[in-house]
Amino acid sequence: MKITVNLGKNSYPVHIAGGLLAKSGEYISRIFQGQKIMLISDDNVFPLFGQKVLDSLRDYECHTLVLPHGEPTKNFQSLPTIYKALLDAKLTRSDLVIALGGGVIGDLAGFAAASYLRGIRLVQIPTSLLAQVDSSVGGKVAVDLPQGKNLVGAFFQPKMVLIDPDVLDTLPEHFIKDGMGEVIKYGCIKDADLFEKLCSHNSFDSLKPELPGIITRCVDIKRRVVEADQFDTGERMLLNFGHTLAHTIEQYYNYERESHGEAVGIGMYQISRIAEKKGLTLPGCADKIRRALEIYGLPVSCGLTSEVLLEAIALDKKNLNGHLNIVLLKEIGESYVYPTDISFFVENGR
């Protein structure tokens, strides 16, 4: 399956197929005629898939950088390590960076590629469900600061995204839940039929045979949204459903408790619960979201007080001059941006 993200001169293909990892060199040769490649990965992913990708890239001069896994790596202090590796390998603007890993590696390597020499070619090879359905497509790259998530970043489109659903067989359950939070989000904001399909199963194992189609559906939704709003000033904001609370939860627990997808699930349910009370969302939506989250083993609350949440939300990058644009549902499958301020969350004590 090939999906093209049409962004004029920044257009690129997203290829989705089992067994793609071993053929990555063949696909990369279609968009890259340079000589040097830096493969950036982490110490979980590289031992599993690194050599398979490198074997497919034998026609190129390849260098590797393997970083510690986990969200703490996605910080500003990791960048000098990456820049040094790129400089030591003498990569120029005619060369290529490959991000092989989940969302952390995709964001971090992507931001390094965007800023090194004012921009060097990038290919995303996402190996987690969350990265495959969401973060690898759309060109958002970033690092975290102590004050919050993704506070330093850029819009930098890859030259290609290669998605191999077979790699998900190696994922621990925790990372499956992480990705399912974003899959459910896509159903909530844009695709009621997808949401119903997810709810028609009773577990991830039951859903698994349909996973390539589910991934394709999510990527296609992301494609349409990004094409309509490349720089996140309008419709693309809908992709942030559940994220205002999610980033707050992640930061409070230093990215060590709830995963991003789990936090998004909590955020989607809690914000819909509040919106229903205010008459802004059709009654029953929050319960439907809760049911979907429970099917895939995702939490619906986190135990934080409203005071802690409000303090952290005040620092969120989406909080501009005291104003917040939050994403709500009219109903499942139809979302909208609602201008408000942090007082919207006062009722949320969980």
Side-chain angles (χ1 to χ4, degrees), residues 204-217:
F204 181 77
D205 286 340
S206 168
L207 178 73
K208 198 170 182 181
E210 298 188 52
L211 207 50
I214 297 289
I215 293 169
T216 300
R217 208 152 164 175

Side-chain angles (χ1 to χ4, degrees), residues 71-88:
E71 188 75 31
T73 294
K74 203 181 93 175
N75 66 63
F76 209 76
Q77 283 66 44
S78 294
L79 290 171
T81 300
I82 300 176
Y83 296 142
K84 182 178 187 301
L86 296 172
L87 288 166
D88 287 348

